[in-house]
Amino acid sequence: MNNNASISDAKALAVETLHREGCSCVIAKDGAIKQYHNRGVKDLLYLLKNEPEALDGAFVADKVVGKGAAALMALGCVDSVYADVISSPALEMLGKAKVVVEYGECVPNIINRAGDGICPVENLCKDCIMPEECLPLIEQFVNEMSKK
């Protein structure tokens, strides 16, 4: 089997695992697949800050990718992403970072869990142009939410 086939197999397995195991995201890198279960961007932020090598060059399968998650993935130098749902601002940010993206549905914005407005992280990052601008906003948001 050639290397491209094994890469495609790992991506397919990561997406399958995302759906089968109910993960928030799944990361495939160097033949290993890791599952994550925290809500929102918590896992991506943790990895970026504490295990950046886990993201560098990786494939990420995620259910919902908004601009904040896209910024963290771009900062982590992920290679490619699959999202069930992605926002157009996230797609644009990942495109500028030259991250290969596949998705099920592209929406104007990610909606919050209550279904009555824009996701708070998406809203925080709406005016940011560069991924680096999103990071302090996301860190502050996650820190505040973990205190609640």
Side-chain angles (χ1 to χ4, degrees):
M1 176 179 354
N2 70 32
N3 194 33
N4 285 338
S6 63
I7 290 170
S8 295
D9 291 347
K11 288 180 178 182
L13 182 57
V15 173
E16 178 186 317
T17 301
L18 175 75
H19 297 123
R20 185 185 65 238
E21 302 295 330
C23 306
S24 58
C25 71
V26 176
I27 298 177
K29 183 177 175 182
D30 299 332
I33 293 181
K34 294 186 179 180
Q35 302 175 28
Y36 298 89
H37 296 275
N38 282 312
R39 294 169 67 163
V41 296
K42 285 176 91 172
D43 288 322
L44 290 171
L45 180 60
Y46 173 84
L47 290 169
L48 181 65
K49 300 300 278 179
N50 300 289
E51 300 175 28
E53 68 283 354
L55 294 173
D56 190 9
F59 169 76
V60 178
D62 204 324
K63 289 182 182 170
V64 178
V65 175
K67 192 170 182 180
L72 297 173
M73 291 179 199
L75 290 169
C77 301
V78 302
D79 180 64
S80 55
V81 173
Y82 167 80
D84 286 338
V85 177
I86 191 167
S87 71
S88 51
L91 191 57
E92 182 179 341
M93 182 163 280
L94 289 169
K96 286 179 183 175
K98 308 228 182 309
V99 175
V100 176
V101 181
E102 295 176 61
Y103 58 89
E105 180 182 7
C106 183
V107 296
N109 292 105
I110 301 303
I111 301 302
N112 64 21
R113 286 184 177 80
D116 60 3
I118 295 176
C119 161
V121 175
E122 180 105 338
N123 199 41
L124 277 175
C125 298
K126 72 178 185 277
D127 295 326
C128 299
I129 307 233
M130 303 299 294
E132 296 82 1
E133 296 172 80
C134 298
L135 184 57
L137 302 173
I138 295 168
E139 287 177 317
Q140 181 179 0
F141 177 80
V142 170
N143 288 336
E144 287 174 6
M145 293 306 292
S146 65
K147 290 176 185 173
K148 291 183 179 181

